Amino acid sequence: MTAKPREYLSAEFNPSALAEIREVLAELEARSIEHVGALEKWCRDYSELQACLSEEGARRFVDHTCHTDVAEVKARYMDWVENVQPVLKKATFEIDRKLAQSPFAAELPPEEFAMWLRSVQNSNELFRDENIPLETEDTKLEAEYDETIGAMTVEFDGETRTLPYMGRILEETDRSRRESAFRSIWDRVLEDTDKIEGIFDRQLALRQEMAKNAGFDDFRALRFRQLERFDYTPEDCLAFHDAIEKVAV
């Protein structure tokens, strides 16, 4: 598959360079938009920047989850989490607000922009400046969990195996092997119970604070909005669970 060529960002744009990111963000925020055609062009340029930065963040995240024991990989991911993401969250809020408040937003073709505009409006409503450092700390705890799980191995079939490898055994047809693999996995996980529960407890407190800051009673309600689950509620999910138990099980 051939990558789509950039139309807004220069070929030399470096999504790892915070100074370059700031420069592009500043241009988008300051650009004058005098008609709906100009807004469409601005949206496409903004989307190109988002795609480029999302790819960079995703690559660092995947590298970290695949190589949790490599210090250089962790450092690159932590640099993104601690130094780049907070800047992006604040700047994205300002740029999203520019889009939402544009007098030409209602004139954008709905078949292409309606869902995006709803997403932008939702992000604006959820944004709280005080949640940025909490979200950073929460992401760091997720990385700590990934490192903890990534370091785990078990002895199985006379070999040292990682937990992802053991997941393959859980799909085999031999029930006794599946049970043996399951017990091996969870015996190993339970050795780090205190550490894992400590991570969870810290995340629980952070997430509850984020929810309260955003005006929600609990993190589940906030998370549904963050995931843009506009068309169904937690109660709908519980009803669906009950229906499966009564009808399918």
Side-chain angles (χ1 to χ4, degrees):
M1 180 181 293
T2 303
K4 184 176 183 291
R6 293 176 179 176
E7 298 178 2
Y8 169 55
L9 300 172
S10 70
E12 293 74 30
F13 175 74
N14 181 4
S16 297
L18 190 53
E20 294 186 36
I21 295 172
R22 288 181 186 274
E23 184 178 343
V24 177
L25 289 169
E27 190 282 321
L28 287 168
E29 188 173 351
R31 189 189 303 181
S32 178
I33 300 174
E34 304 296 340
H35 51 81
V36 67
L39 182 59
E40 280 197 52
K41 175 65 167 63
W42 181 92
C43 286
R44 297 186 201 286
D45 292 345
Y46 180 28
S47 179
E48 184 176 300
L49 174 65
Q50 287 183 312
C52 184
L53 296 176
S54 294
E55 179 181 357
E56 178 67 19
R59 287 183 182 278
R60 296 197 194 193
F61 170 75
V62 171
D63 282 348
H64 178 257
T65 58
C66 291
H67 307 285
T68 55
D69 57 343
V70 179
E72 296 87 345
V73 171
K74 178 180 179 180
R76 275 179 51 78
Y77 180 58
M78 286 297 106
D79 175 63
W80 186 264
V81 169
E82 296 175 342
N83 300 316
V84 180
Q85 279 190 338
V87 172
L88 293 181
K89 287 174 181 177
K90 178 67 174 177
T92 297
F93 168 70
E94 299 296 343
I95 294 174
D96 282 350
R97 185 164 59 177
K98 178 184 179 78
L99 170 59
Q101 294 178 350
S102 171
F104 307 108
E107 299 179 38
L108 289 169
E111 65 276 8
E112 182 175 357
F113 292 97
M115 292 297 293
W116 189 25
L117 286 171
R118 182 166 72 162
S119 177
V120 164
Q121 185 62 42
N122 183 61
S123 296
N124 282 347
E125 292 174 1
L126 296 180
F127 178 82
R128 299 294 186 277
D129 194 57
E130 61 269 30
N131 275 348
I132 292 177
L134 301 180
E135 291 167 354
T136 299
E137 187 60 30
D138 185 55
T139 302
K140 290 166 66 176
L141 287 170
E142 289 178 358
E144 184 179 342
Y145 174 83
D146 288 342
E147 291 171 18
T148 301
I149 297 297
M152 292 181 180
T153 59
V154 300
E155 296 300 316
F156 195 81
D157 285 345
E159 300 282 348
T160 301
R161 301 297 191 185
T162 64
L163 297 197
Y165 179 91
M166 295 299 294
R168 296 163 53 185
I169 310 299
L170 296 177
E171 297 179 356
E172 292 186 5
T173 57
D174 186 325
R175 187 185 189 283
S176 63
R177 276 178 59 79
R178 292 201 310 274
E179 179 179 355
S180 179
F182 177 87
R183 293 186 181 279
S184 296
I185 291 169
W186 285 101
D187 284 346
R188 177 61 188 89
V189 171
L190 289 173
E191 291 179 17
D192 283 336
T193 294
D194 291 343
K195 184 174 183 179
I196 292 171
E197 291 187 351
I199 293 171
F200 176 80
D201 289 343
R202 284 179 284 164
Q203 285 190 297
L204 185 64
L206 284 170
R207 292 174 174 183
Q208 184 66 16
E209 187 176 355
M210 284 189 276
K212 292 178 63 177
N213 288 343
F216 293 89
D217 292 333
D218 54 53
F219 182 72
R220 184 183 69 178
L222 171 61
R223 192 62 181 151
F224 259 66
R225 280 285 301 277
Q226 288 175 332
L227 294 173
E228 301 182 358
R229 292 173 177 170
F230 299 122
D231 302 316
Y232 60 98
T233 67
E235 289 69 30
D236 291 328
C237 292
L238 294 173
F240 182 57
H241 294 170
D242 290 341
I244 291 173
E245 181 182 11
K246 293 176 182 176
V247 178
V249 177

